[in-house]
Amino acid sequence: MKSTKTLIGLAAAAAVLTLAACGDNGASAGGSDGGGDGEEVNLTFATFSPDQEPAIRQILDVFEEENPGVTVDIQIIPWTDYWSTLQTSTAGGTGPDVAWMLGAKIGQYIDGGVLLPLDDAFEESGLDIEKYPEQLVDLFVDDGTTYALPKDFDTIGLWYNKALFDEAGVAYPTPDWTWDDVITAAKALTKPDGSVYGIGAPMDPQATYYNTIYQAGGEVISEDGTTSGYDSPEAIEGITFWTDMINVHHVSPTLESFADTESVAQFMSGRLAMLTTGSFYAIRFANDEYSSQNFDVTELPGGAQEATIINGIGNVALASTEHPEEAARLAVFLSGEEASRISSETGTVIGSYEGTQEAFVDAFPQFNLQAFLDQAENGVVLPVSRNTDAWASREGEFLTPAWTGEQTVEEAAGNLANAMNEALAQE
Amino acid sequence: MRPNRYPDNAWAAVLLAVPFAGLVIFYLWPLLRTVLLSFSEGTAFTGYTITGFGNWQRLFDGDDIWRALVNTLVYAAIVLLGVPIAMVVAALLHQRGLRGRSFYRTLYFIPVVTMPVAVAMVWRYIYNGDFGLLNEVLDAVGGPTRAWVADPDTALYAVAVVGIWMALGTNLIILAAGLEAVPQTLEEAAMLDGAGPVRRFFSVTVPLLTPSIFLVSVLSVIGSLQMFDLLFIMLGRTNPALADSKTIVYLFYEEAFVRNDRPLGAVIALVTLVVTLAVTAVQFRLQRRWVTYA
């Protein structure tokens, strides 16, 4: 049966080759329609949020009405594929015309020269740059050229479960709470049988430790984006606030527990009395009966100073488009006043344009969403560098031993700082 | 020489050319590009320029690749245990007069046709340290409970168990087909010689089944060496057990798609290829000692 052997060999060879072929990937995404200069212009707009699609469609309808002859298709690429698809399709010249962009990602696109400057289109639109949160605008400006405008923003707040506070007879958190108030309340809220924990301390940079690092007066990355701030005493203090919740005060489930059941799910099932997380969860909490009835939110507690991490999505126009003028106009429109108003009114996200944000607060009156707006002035923009992923993707790896108690925070943060500095040196 | 011999060859050449072209375009060309990429530096936007062995050196100077290699080999070894399990099940299902055989076969095959992501999600719930089914059961019988996929001591093994369970169906089908091919006459001859069912299984069935066992083993190992999806879904990115459970392909994903370091990703892909080829070659060499081609 020589043939069986040959067959096995062939099958093996094919199976082996499959992966090796993955290395050079050829992802492609739908592109713009060809045939440029006629009246009919068709643009493709890429986003990663199916949740926001209804609001986006509404915004695009207005745009199409104002720009006769231009039609826009939405292309939703799931988050897990979004960045690799956008990068490869853009590099290959088959990318969308307009796309969502984050501050953490834009550096590479600017360096690659694949984005259209939006300055002219912005001027033409009559929008006022002063009406956007300044820190977020800066994220998307390089060397005086604007490549995107923030379409929305989010801040982090202290969400809490009123029912669990009532049960334990603890007063609800207020904006003037300090770190110590949180710890005291968390101890009172934690039940000895492990059914309720005072607070969730997941290892989530944006929702937890970035905030406290800045509140302690530290920084994740130096102002000029060249060195890590993780080895400073303030940063270590900011991280220790969270690791102590697990390892010293025992008022939070462990990191293992959060790996099994994510913190937001634990919070929504009534296992956590407090959780610091973003305004972007308002819509999910509002759509859940238990959460909608029992949750509320206030400003983050203060450390040495007040701080909350602010982040926002921008819209970029890609240089590979066949209709640069329309694409730039669309990118600006998607971050404009009208778009901002629709986003807020639908409760989807906090629109970035001043004067449109109250609508977001009104969208879910059961929550004190004003807290997210009030904090924006203390907002510290989510730390980025030219190639943020190179170091941000290592944070979890290095901080895990601090969270599990295997290493001191000093040791873990020091190792992370070294790795981060190494990555930054390569930028 | 018969006149129609050349036309036959010509047809064969044409028909073979199509899959061959596919092989070149979809496997060999990307493979060549991957090799070139592994010696290059740059980003998708700036383009890649060939610079030398830097990426290779960077990979092998670090600990990550060695840890991932060990994890991957451990995983492959555990999943290989699924082969004897599949053999036992196949033999049981092959018994004469068994009722509902196709029902059982379908049952065992269901994991194969289920999406790995769905399977992984369900197993995540089973393994959950706080509310998981497994801990419920162990608690009831007084066994040890833990966060199975979040504990560095157990995560890789917990995932491997799912790997075995998922591969059982495919292994079973191949082995069942092998069993069908074992000539009845040999079994009967052994029976006349006074061999009991266990003796018949090991002395007649197993030797004749070795080509199938070999095929199943080779495919199982290759599949295990490329394991990614189960780990990705079952552990998640902030899992404390990740560092001790990461496989080579997971490392490849992290470098190439999370950190956008495509050249380093290319190196890892090639390492995976070489390791897989080496392990498979060893298996082919060893088979001479134990595989019987009738």
Side-chain angles (χ1 to χ4, degrees), chain A residues 1 5 8-9 12 15-21 23-25 84 87-88 90-91 108-109 112 114 203 255-257 259-261 271 389-390 393-394 397 400 404, chain B residues 26-27 30-31 33-34 44-45 64 124 128-131 147 149-151 211 214-215 218 222 226 238-240 257-260 262 272-273 276 284 287 293-294:
Chain A
M1 272 173 96
K5 209 171 145 187
I8 297 173
V16 164
L17 278 170
T18 314
L19 183 90
D24 188 64
N25 70 88
S84 51
Q87 196 188 52
T88 39
T90 302
Q108 297 208 302
Y109 287 79
V114 294
M203 194 173 59
L255 188 59
E256 292 183 350
S257 176
D260 275 340
T261 315
R271 193 168 190 243
D389 292 324
S393 66
R394 309 211 80 129
E397 185 184 327
T400 292
T404 56
Chain B
F26 294 112
Y27 287 122
L31 180 61
R33 292 287 302 270
T34 303
F45 298 134
D64 291 356
R124 252 186 94 145
N128 188 304
D130 294 315
F131 325 100
V149 285
D151 187 327
F214 178 59
L215 171 66
V218 168
I222 292 173
Q226 301 182 355
T238 56
N239 193 308
F257 294 105
V258 178
R259 286 178 206 130
N260 282 320
R262 301 291 156 85
T272 314
L273 174 68
T276 313
F284 267 86
Q287 58 131 2
Y293 291 102

Side-chain angles (χ1 to χ4, degrees), chain A residues 124-173:
Chain A
E124 192 190 309
S125 70
L127 293 163
D128 181 1
I129 195 75
E130 298 291 317
K131 301 220 166 175
Y132 291 94
E134 196 189 339
Q135 318 96 309
L136 291 184
V137 171
D138 291 346
L139 266 184
F140 303 122
V141 175
D142 186 64
D143 238 355
T145 307
T146 304
Y147 291 100
L149 291 147
K151 78 171 196 69
D152 60 17
F153 70 83
D154 51 68
T155 56
I156 308 299
L158 177 64
W159 289 89
Y160 57 96
N161 185 328
K162 289 181 286 186
L164 296 177
F165 271 77
D166 291 343
E167 208 185 313
V170 178
Y172 298 157

Side-chain angles (χ1 to χ4, degrees), chain A residues 61-75:
Chain A
D61 287 345
V62 179
F63 180 79
E64 287 174 355
E65 215 168 282
E66 288 180 8
N67 296 272
V70 182
T71 53
V72 187
D73 294 327
I74 305 178
Q75 182 190 8

